[in-house]
Every structure is written in structure tokens, then in C-alpha cells.
Amino acid sequence: MNQQSTTPHTTTSRLPFLIVAALGVVFGDIGTSPLYALRECFSGPHAIPVSPANVYGVLSLVVWSLIIVVSIKYLLFVMRADNAGEGGILALVALVRQRAGALIAVGLFGAALLYGDGMITPAISVLSAVEGLSIATHAFEPFIVPITAVILVALFVVQHRGTSGIGSIFGPVMIAWFIVIALLGIPAIAQQPGIVAAFDPRHAIRFFAAHGPGGLLTLGGVVLAITGAEALYADMGHFGPSPIRIGWFALVMPSLVVNYFGQGALLLSDASAASNPFYRLSPPWALYPMVVLSTIATIIASQAIISGAFSLTQQAIQLGYAPRFDIRHTSAHEKGQVYVPEINWMLMLATLGLVFGFRTSTNLASAYGMAVTATMVITTMLAYVVARQRWGWSVVRATVVTGSFLVVDLAFFAANILKIEHGGWFPLLVGAIVFMIMSTWNTGRKLVLDRLRLAEVPLTKFFAQLSERPPVRVPGTAVFMTARGEGVPPILSHHLTHNKVLHEHVVLLTVLTGDTPAIAGAERLQVTQLTHGFWRVIVQFGFTQAPNVPEALADARLLGLVLDPADTTYYLAHLTLFATDRIGMATWRDKLFIFLSRNARRATNFFHLPPDRVIEIGIQLEL
């Protein structure tokens, strides 16, 4: 495991294109935070008075949060913990999942929390953009929630088309967004040039000295400025670290800092601007164009979060933490562009419920940040393990580095604990439900594998029986899919017992998912020729790859496998599960696993098998 990513994305010729593309996808969430972050500090439910000391203190907290959490922790440290170029919390889980069960559970909970983030981000982002209409006139106020709902419904309805068609415009739009928000901040800074002194971290220290524990309430608003930091790491696999780092340091961070300083300078000149300092930076003639640009930017930010939820679901399925969903690839060129209908509609309903339930972005801000800060803490904990076990860092070095980040993370997390009763419970509830599903599915799968293992017949015994009582052999190839790469699967025994025939060629096929994102064609195959016309084939896919079985078997033919695709029949087990109190999990978890299993996507579609060549054989198992 190298400390530096070895991803091939960042070749010199493609670097400019990748920088623009990354600007359009990666920075949407954190890039639209100026819409509401500073406002929540001075006008939210825990607002502090607008005074020079408070403005300088909050701006100093915002700037140093961007430096410490985003620039140093994520871009310079955590991004080195890549899994064959892939980032994100599930990539970290894959790196440590053979080492400590407790850490895996914590990592899974962090991944589960991201679904709550995926529900809140579109709601608060689009709602905060549309709220700009009320700055010019209060006549628009009754229409803000309906307009937001219409935009969100349209966003979710077009998800099935994927981002490949419109992705090319995301980058230029976000470049325009960052340039515009910087331009908005410059005139206000010119009027209050002393505001740049907020770079001095002593202002942040003085702020906490003056406010004491009450400063945590304000820190709950400051954290809104760094929401989206996890997305920088999660999207690393699509662009590589270099384009993300260059985009951040060259454009995104300078633009954000200038805009935040502009808002702070405006507050020093006009304390009444605290109700919405971002839009109050705009001259009157630019207000409506800014609302339009802000809405487009928040749609792009929402698109990135929604797409991230789809990718997270695909990885969870492949790693064995979620039941099979319908995974649709929306691009023939980009492997990461997938669409999951069930997740899309669940996110849409939850997002609309949040909009109509909370009604304002200020109310939603109380729910926002809990999932983000908890995930930040978990990422730091997992990164410590990677630094120790993968990079070979000493205990002292790893503790000092990650411990420093953890102090900051825990401060933000503590600030957001205070939000639980005001809406912070929502992402925690979503995370708990998703974690329960993930852990139940993973444990249930292991129990099923154990039960199938007990029902297996050893190969030597099976072949001895074939020699003693040879069955009728018919032309063609039968592929028996089995979760275990040992013994004879129960479906083959059932087939032979009831049908009393075997195909001329029999393939015992096991599909596995590796701990790396992608595995090349030849490297993923193990082909072993047995006796009596039998073959054992084990194919391993990466956790971001779609498991295409016919394609893998075509590659296996190059390694000697005898198979005619036009004369091949696939045999799958159709499991009927029963919950008991004798073995396995608690009865309610058994029943949950059975429910998930019955409603999981059919293996035929998931493995891309030709439907007219699939035969399912029923097997009953007790859990």
C-alpha cells in the first residue's frame, strides 16, 4: 500500500479536463455552503450578536476549519489512504475489514450516516437558494417551499438519465459560481479591509475565551462551512487526487474565503444583513440572476450527493453489506455513473418530507451537520489504523497526526450533539436504520453460507458416486452458481437427484468481491479442470464493478474452459428461508433478513445472465 495514490487518472494531457470535471462534481456541496453557513451563526436559533469581536472570531473559525479539516486533513492526509485509487469511507472499511470487527462496525455506521446526509443536502441547498427570492419582496415567501419541491422532484425524476449528458456543463457552471461569489465579496472587503485580520487564529481563541462552552453553539453553525469535505475524498476515484487538490487550492478555497470575508465585512457595516448576508452582498440588479445561479449550483451539489448515494449502495452490495438492488449503468464510458431506482425514490420522498416538515433552511440547518461530523470522526479513526498497519507509521507519529485531527472533529461533533433535539436526530435515525440493515444482511449471509456448507458433498465423494452410478449425460454446458468455492453445491445434488441427468460439461462457478475497487479480466479468474467433465471457476470482481458473469466466462474460455455460450444453461438456488430460535440471530433480525432476501433483486439481473437460459432450483434453509 503506497502512501501516494497510484491512480492513472492524473496524466498530464488529461489534467486540465479532470480539474474542470472535478470542479463540477466534487465541490458542489462545500461550494454552496456560503449560502447559509455564516447566516446560521448570526441569525440562526443560536445566533450571537453582530459585533466586531464576534465577526472576526467566527470568520477565523471558518477559515481555519477550511485549512485544518479540508486542506490538511482530507486533501493532504486522508487522500493518501486510497484503495487502488478509490476513496470514501467504504474504501477505508475495505482496507481494515480483515483486521478488526469493531472498526468495521464503526465504519459501516459512518457509511450509513451518509444516506442521511444525502437526504438533507438537496433539501437545505435548494431551499437556501430559492429563499433568495424573499430578499427583494416578501410576496414570494408563500411560494418558496412549493418552488423548492418542484425543483427537487424534477431533479430526482431525471436521475435515470445519468450525468454523462449534462456533466460537461457542470464544471464551467461551478467555475462561474466560484468566480461570481469571489467578485461579490471583493467590494465589501474593500470597504472594510481590516477584515483580512481574521486570518489570525488568535481571534478564534479569543472568541472561545469570551463565550466559554457557549461557543460550541456557534461551532454548530461554523461546521456548515465544511460540509462536503467527505465528498472530496469519496470522489477521488473518479478524478484522482491531483485534480481535486489543484481545483481546491487554485480556485475553490480562495473564492470561499473571499466570499466569507465579504459577508463578514458587510456585517461590520450593516448588522441587519445577518438575516441573509450572502444575498445582501449582491447589488439589487443582480439579485434574481444570483438566485438562478445559486439554484443551479445547489442542483449540481445535490446531484453529486445523490450520485454518491448510488455509488455507495453499489459498493455496499458488492462488499456484502446490502441486498441486491437494480443497478443501472448510465454511461458506457464511466464506471462510476450508476442509477439505483429504489434508492432514488426513497431519497426523493425523504427530501420532500424534510422540505415540507422543516420549511426553512434555518430549521434544516439544525438537522444538518450531525451526520457530517460523525462521519469525520469515524474517517479519522479508520485513517489511524491505515497509517499504522498499511503505511507502517509508529504509534507516536500516527497518534500525534490523527489525534490532532480528532480533537477538531470531536469539537464539531460535540457542537452538533446540541442539535439533536432540534432535528439532529433525523440523520442519526436514518444512520441507525441503514446500519441495522447492513449488519443484519452481512450476518445473515454468513449464516446462509454456513448452512449451505453443511449441506455440501465433498468433491471426492461426489465423483466416486458418479463413477459407481454414471448418470445420463446430455450435450451442452451447465453452470451451477454457488457462493462457496469448495465442495458440490446443494443445487447440483438436488438437480441430479430429481432430474437424474447431467450436462456434458459442468461448471461450478463462484463469484466473489475483492477488497479493491476493480480487478482486470485475466487477474480475476481462477479456472481449474476437474474430472468427469467438471470445471471449477472462481471469478473475483472489484467492489465498484458490475458482476457480469457471461463476460467473465468468455474470458475464462481463453484460459481453457470448454463452453459454448449458445448452449449453456445457468442453475441458481432459490432459497426459502425460515426463522428459528435455535441458531443465528435474534428472531426479529432473522425475519428482517428473510424480508430483505425475498425483496432483493433477482440474481438473474444482478449477474447479467440471459433470462431464457436460467433455471432456479428451490432449497429450504432454517436460520
Side-chain angles (χ1 to χ4, degrees):
M1 176 72 195
N2 295 325
Q3 295 185 29
Q4 299 289 348
S5 172
T6 56
T7 177
H9 286 303
T10 54
T11 55
T12 304
S13 61
R14 297 193 64 210
L15 188 58
F17 167 79
L18 289 170
I19 293 172
V20 173
L23 286 168
V25 174
V26 174
F27 299 106
D29 190 0
I30 198 169
T32 52
S33 294
L35 282 164
Y36 46 79
L38 215 61
R39 181 194 68 195
E40 294 308 311
C41 296
F42 293 100
S43 183
H46 304 295
I48 56 174
V50 177
S51 67
N54 285 342
V55 170
Y56 279 96
V58 169
L59 284 179
S60 185
L61 286 171
V62 168
V63 169
W64 282 97
S65 295
L66 293 173
I67 293 172
I68 295 173
V69 176
V70 183
S71 301
I72 300 177
K73 174 188 167 181
Y74 276 98
L75 293 181
L76 300 183
F77 173 69
V78 175
M79 274 193 177
R80 299 168 70 167
D82 69 287
N83 186 357
E86 286 288 327
I89 196 163
L90 274 186
L92 282 177
V93 170
L95 287 175
V96 305
R97 71 173 184 158
Q98 294 179 346
R99 287 170 164 75
L103 275 176
I104 296 169
V106 170
L108 281 182
F109 185 65
L113 285 170
L114 294 178
Y115 284 96
D117 191 26
M119 296 170 183
I120 298 175
T121 297
I124 191 174
S125 298
V126 177
L127 193 54
S128 62
V130 177
E131 284 172 344
L133 293 172
S134 65
I135 300 296
T137 172
H138 293 296
F140 282 110
E141 288 183 355
F143 304 103
I144 288 175
V145 169
I147 291 173
T148 300
V150 169
I151 292 172
L152 288 171
V153 168
L155 174 63
F156 284 101
V157 165
V158 301
Q159 286 301 309
H160 70 282
R161 297 180 179 273
T163 59
S164 57
I166 56 176
S168 58
I169 68 171
F170 280 10
V173 169
M174 291 308 295
I175 289 174
W177 165 259
F178 288 118
I179 292 173
V180 168
I181 66 172
L183 292 176
L184 288 178
I186 291 174
I189 295 174
Q191 293 181 5
Q192 296 279 353
I195 199 69
V196 298
F199 271 111
D200 189 340
R202 288 178 293 180
H203 288 291
I205 297 172
R206 291 169 188 155
F207 177 84
F208 278 112
H211 290 270
L216 281 177
L217 296 173
T218 303
L219 205 58
V222 171
V223 73
L224 299 175
I226 57 174
T227 57
E230 188 74 25
L232 310 186
Y233 177 45
D235 288 325
M236 180 174 65
H238 297 294
F239 307 102
S242 294
I244 296 175
R245 288 169 178 155
I246 293 172
W248 172 255
F249 288 110
L251 177 63
V252 179
M253 184 177 175
S255 298
L256 291 175
V257 170
V258 170
N259 188 266
Y260 282 125
F261 276 25
Q263 292 186 44
L266 176 64
L267 291 175
L268 292 180
S269 302
D270 180 8
S272 66
S275 60
N276 205 319
F278 176 83
Y279 279 117
R280 290 288 293 273
L281 282 176
S282 300
W285 61 267
L287 180 59
Y288 291 125
M290 274 307 303
V291 171
V292 173
L293 180 59
S294 299
T295 303
I296 295 173
T298 55
I299 289 173
I300 292 173
S302 302
Q303 176 64 60
I305 294 295
I306 296 167
S307 299
F310 296 157
S311 298
L312 183 66
T313 301
Q314 182 191 30
Q315 293 182 26
I317 293 170
Q318 292 292 78
L319 289 171
Y321 296 116
R324 293 187 299 267
F325 285 96
D326 182 12
I327 305 290
R328 302 180 188 176
H329 291 261
T330 59
S331 172
H333 307 288
E334 300 295 333
K335 67 177 182 179
Q337 293 187 13
V338 295
Y339 169 64
V340 187
E342 298 94 334
I343 299 298
N344 184 65
W345 302 127
M346 284 190 285
L347 287 177
M348 185 187 78
L349 292 175
T351 301
L352 291 176
L354 289 169
V355 169
F356 284 105
F358 286 85
R359 302 197 68 80
T360 69
S361 59
T362 292
N363 293 337
L364 266 172
S366 297
Y368 203 29
M370 192 73 237
V372 175
T373 54
T375 305
M376 285 164 48
V377 170
I378 293 169
T379 295
T380 301
M381 293 168 60
L382 295 177
Y384 170 84
V385 179
V386 172
R388 288 279 295 121
Q389 298 183 351
R390 296 275 179 162
W391 300 346
W393 283 20
S394 67
V395 173
V396 174
R397 182 183 182 188
T399 301
V400 169
V401 174
T402 59
S404 302
F405 296 137
L406 195 59
V407 169
V408 177
D409 294 339
L410 289 174
F412 281 124
F413 181 70
N416 280 275
I417 288 178
L418 303 172
K419 295 182 176 182
I420 288 179
E421 64 176 316
H422 302 291
W425 56 267
F426 178 80
L428 291 179
L429 177 63
V430 172
I433 292 172
V434 174
F435 174 76
M436 179 181 65
I437 292 173
M438 284 183 167
S439 59
T440 298
W441 181 259
N442 185 253
T443 304
R445 283 182 68 253
K446 292 177 180 177
L447 289 172
V448 168
L449 288 178
D450 289 342
R451 299 293 290 166
L452 291 175
R453 178 179 55 80
L454 295 175
E456 284 179 355
V457 177
L459 279 174
T460 53
K461 180 179 179 180
F462 180 78
F463 288 143
Q465 293 172 348
L466 287 186
S467 299
E468 294 175 6
R469 296 183 297 276
V472 175
R473 306 298 289 260
V474 296
T477 301
V479 177
F480 288 87
M481 296 193 65
T482 172
R484 285 176 44 80
E486 304 171 14
V488 177
I491 53 171
L492 175 53
S493 300
H494 281 235
H495 166 70
L496 187 57
T497 299
H498 296 288
N499 296 326
K500 307 188 187 310
V501 295
L502 276 180
H503 286 72
E504 184 179 1
H505 302 286
V506 177
V507 177
L508 306 179
L509 175 65
T510 300
V511 177
L512 302 175
T513 300
D515 288 338
T516 54
I519 302 175
E523 298 175 2
R524 66 190 180 193
L525 285 164
Q526 295 180 33
V527 179
T528 305
Q529 185 173 7
L530 307 174
T531 61
H532 295 82
F534 277 68
W535 297 77
R536 170 79 71 186
V537 177
I538 298 177
V539 57
Q540 191 172 48
F541 294 94
F543 61 79
T544 64
Q545 293 178 304
N548 190 314
V549 165
E551 183 181 276
L553 291 178
D555 292 336
R557 294 172 65 191
L558 302 177
L559 299 178
L561 177 65
V562 178
L563 179 142
D564 179 5
D567 195 17
T568 298
T569 303
Y570 296 89
Y571 288 84
L572 304 176
H574 181 80
L575 296 178
T576 301
L577 304 175
F578 298 94
T580 69
D581 57 1
R582 291 179 297 167
I583 58 175
M585 303 173 285
T587 303
W588 69 269
R589 293 187 72 195
D590 282 341
K591 292 180 178 179
L592 174 60
F593 176 75
I594 291 170
F595 172 81
L596 295 172
S597 181
R598 289 174 179 171
N599 289 276
R601 196 66 177 169
R602 293 187 61 190
T604 301
N605 297 340
F606 185 75
F607 292 110
H608 297 82
L609 305 179
D612 57 343
R613 295 188 175 276
V614 174
I615 295 177
E616 293 189 353
I617 298 177
I619 296 177
Q620 294 185 354
L621 286 179
E622 290 184 347
L623 293 178

Coordinates of all heavy atoms in Angstrom, one line a residue, residues 14-27 171 175 239 242-248 250-252:
R14 N -4.6 14.9 -19.6 CA -6.0 15.0 -19.2 C -6.2 15.8 -18.0 O -7.3 16.0 -17.5 CB -6.4 13.5 -18.9 CG -6.5 12.6 -20.1 CD -7.2 11.3 -19.7 NE -8.6 11.7 -19.5 CZ -9.4 11.0 -18.6 NH1 -8.9 10.0 -17.9 NH2 -10.7 11.3 -18.5
L15 N -5.1 16.3 -17.4 CA -5.2 17.1 -16.1 C -6.2 18.3 -16.2 O -7.0 18.4 -15.3 CB -3.8 17.5 -15.6 CG -3.8 18.1 -14.2 CD1 -4.3 17.1 -13.2 CD2 -2.3 18.4 -13.8
P16 N -6.0 19.1 -17.2 CA -7.0 20.3 -17.3 C -8.4 19.8 -17.3 O -9.3 20.4 -16.6 CB -6.5 21.0 -18.5 CG -5.1 20.6 -18.7 CD -5.0 19.2 -18.3
F17 N -8.7 18.8 -18.1 CA -10.1 18.3 -18.3 C -10.6 17.8 -16.9 O -11.7 18.1 -16.5 CB -10.2 17.3 -19.3 CG -11.4 16.5 -19.3 CD1 -12.6 17.0 -19.9 CD2 -11.5 15.2 -18.7 CE1 -13.8 16.3 -19.8 CE2 -12.7 14.5 -18.7 CZ -13.8 15.1 -19.2
L18 N -9.7 17.0 -16.2 CA -10.1 16.4 -15.0 C -10.3 17.5 -13.9 O -11.2 17.4 -13.0 CB -9.1 15.4 -14.5 CG -9.0 14.1 -15.3 CD1 -7.8 13.3 -15.0 CD2 -10.3 13.3 -15.1
I19 N -9.5 18.6 -13.9 CA -9.7 19.7 -13.0 C -11.1 20.3 -13.2 O -11.8 20.5 -12.2 CB -8.6 20.7 -13.1 CG1 -7.2 20.1 -12.7 CG2 -8.9 22.0 -12.3 CD1 -6.1 21.0 -13.0
V20 N -11.4 20.6 -14.4 CA -12.8 21.2 -14.7 C -13.9 20.2 -14.3 O -14.9 20.6 -13.7 CB -12.9 21.6 -16.2 CG1 -14.3 22.0 -16.5 CG2 -11.9 22.6 -16.5
A21 N -13.7 18.9 -14.6 CA -14.7 18.0 -14.3 C -14.9 17.8 -12.8 O -16.0 17.8 -12.2 CB -14.4 16.6 -14.9
A22 N -13.8 17.8 -12.0 CA -13.8 17.7 -10.6 C -14.5 19.0 -10.0 O -15.3 18.8 -9.0 CB -12.4 17.6 -10.0
L23 N -14.3 20.1 -10.5 CA -14.9 21.3 -10.1 C -16.4 21.2 -10.2 O -17.2 21.8 -9.4 CB -14.4 22.6 -10.8 CG -13.0 23.0 -10.5 CD1 -12.5 24.0 -11.5 CD2 -12.9 23.6 -9.1
G24 N -16.9 20.5 -11.2 CA -18.3 20.4 -11.4 C -19.0 19.3 -10.6 O -20.2 19.3 -10.4
V25 N -18.2 18.4 -10.0 CA -18.8 17.3 -9.3 C -18.5 17.3 -7.8 O -19.3 17.1 -6.9 CB -18.4 15.9 -9.9 CG1 -18.9 14.8 -9.1 CG2 -18.9 15.8 -11.3
V26 N -17.2 17.5 -7.5 CA -16.7 17.3 -6.2 C -17.0 18.4 -5.2 O -17.3 18.2 -4.0 CB -15.1 17.1 -6.2 CG1 -14.6 17.0 -4.8 CG2 -14.8 15.9 -7.0
F27 N -17.0 19.7 -5.7 CA -17.1 20.8 -4.8 C -18.4 21.5 -4.7 O -18.6 22.5 -4.1 CB -16.1 21.9 -5.2 CG -14.6 21.4 -5.2 CD1 -14.0 21.1 -6.4 CD2 -13.9 21.2 -4.1 CE1 -12.7 20.7 -6.4 CE2 -12.6 20.8 -4.1 CZ -12.0 20.5 -5.2
G171 N -18.8 21.6 -14.8 CA -17.6 22.3 -14.4 C -17.6 23.7 -14.8 O -17.3 24.6 -13.9
I175 N -17.3 26.8 -12.1 CA -16.2 27.8 -12.2 C -16.8 29.2 -12.2 O -16.3 30.1 -11.5 CB -15.4 27.5 -13.5 CG1 -14.6 26.2 -13.4 CG2 -14.5 28.7 -13.8 CD1 -13.9 25.9 -14.6
F239 N -11.6 11.0 -10.3 CA -10.7 12.1 -10.9 C -9.2 12.0 -10.5 O -8.4 12.5 -11.1 CB -11.2 13.5 -10.4 CG -12.7 13.7 -10.7 CD1 -13.6 13.6 -9.7 CD2 -13.1 13.9 -12.0 CE1 -15.0 13.8 -10.0 CE2 -14.4 14.1 -12.3 CZ -15.4 14.0 -11.3
S242 N -4.8 14.7 -7.6 CA -4.2 15.9 -8.1 C -5.2 16.9 -8.6 O -5.2 18.1 -8.3 CB -3.2 15.6 -9.2 OG -2.1 14.9 -8.6
P243 N -6.2 16.5 -9.5 CA -7.2 17.5 -10.0 C -8.0 18.1 -8.8 O -8.3 19.3 -8.8 CB -8.1 16.7 -10.9 CG -7.2 15.5 -11.4 CD -6.4 15.2 -10.2
I244 N -8.3 17.3 -7.8 CA -9.1 17.8 -6.7 C -8.3 18.8 -5.9 O -8.8 19.9 -5.5 CB -9.6 16.6 -5.8 CG1 -10.6 15.7 -6.6 CG2 -10.3 17.1 -4.5 CD1 -11.0 14.5 -5.9
R245 N -7.0 18.4 -5.6 CA -6.2 19.4 -4.8 C -5.9 20.7 -5.6 O -6.0 21.8 -5.0 CB -4.8 18.7 -4.5 CG -4.9 17.5 -3.5 CD -3.7 16.7 -3.4 NE -3.7 15.7 -2.4 CZ -3.0 14.6 -2.4 NH1 -2.2 14.4 -3.4 NH2 -3.2 13.7 -1.5
I246 N -5.7 20.6 -6.9 CA -5.4 21.8 -7.7 C -6.7 22.6 -7.7 O -6.6 23.9 -7.5 CB -4.9 21.4 -9.1 CG1 -3.6 20.7 -9.1 CG2 -4.9 22.7 -10.0 CD1 -3.1 20.2 -10.4
G247 N -7.8 22.0 -8.0 CA -9.0 22.8 -8.0 C -9.3 23.5 -6.7 O -9.8 24.6 -6.7
W248 N -9.0 22.8 -5.6 CA -9.3 23.4 -4.3 C -8.4 24.6 -4.0 O -8.9 25.7 -3.6 CB -9.1 22.3 -3.2 CG -9.2 22.9 -1.8 CD1 -8.2 23.1 -0.9 CD2 -10.4 23.3 -1.1 NE1 -8.6 23.6 0.3 CE2 -10.0 23.7 0.2 CE3 -11.7 23.3 -1.4 CZ2 -10.8 24.2 1.2 CZ3 -12.6 23.8 -0.4 CH2 -12.2 24.2 0.8
A250 N -6.4 26.3 -6.0 CA -6.3 27.3 -7.0 C -7.5 28.2 -7.1 O -7.5 29.4 -7.5 CB -6.0 26.7 -8.4
L251 N -8.7 27.6 -6.9 CA -10.0 28.3 -7.1 C -11.0 28.3 -6.0 O -11.4 29.3 -5.5 CB -10.6 27.8 -8.4 CG -12.0 28.5 -8.8 CD1 -11.8 30.0 -9.0 CD2 -12.6 27.8 -10.0
V252 N -11.3 27.1 -5.5 CA -12.4 26.9 -4.6 C -12.1 27.6 -3.3 O -12.9 28.4 -2.8 CB -12.7 25.4 -4.4 CG1 -13.8 25.2 -3.4 CG2 -13.1 24.7 -5.7

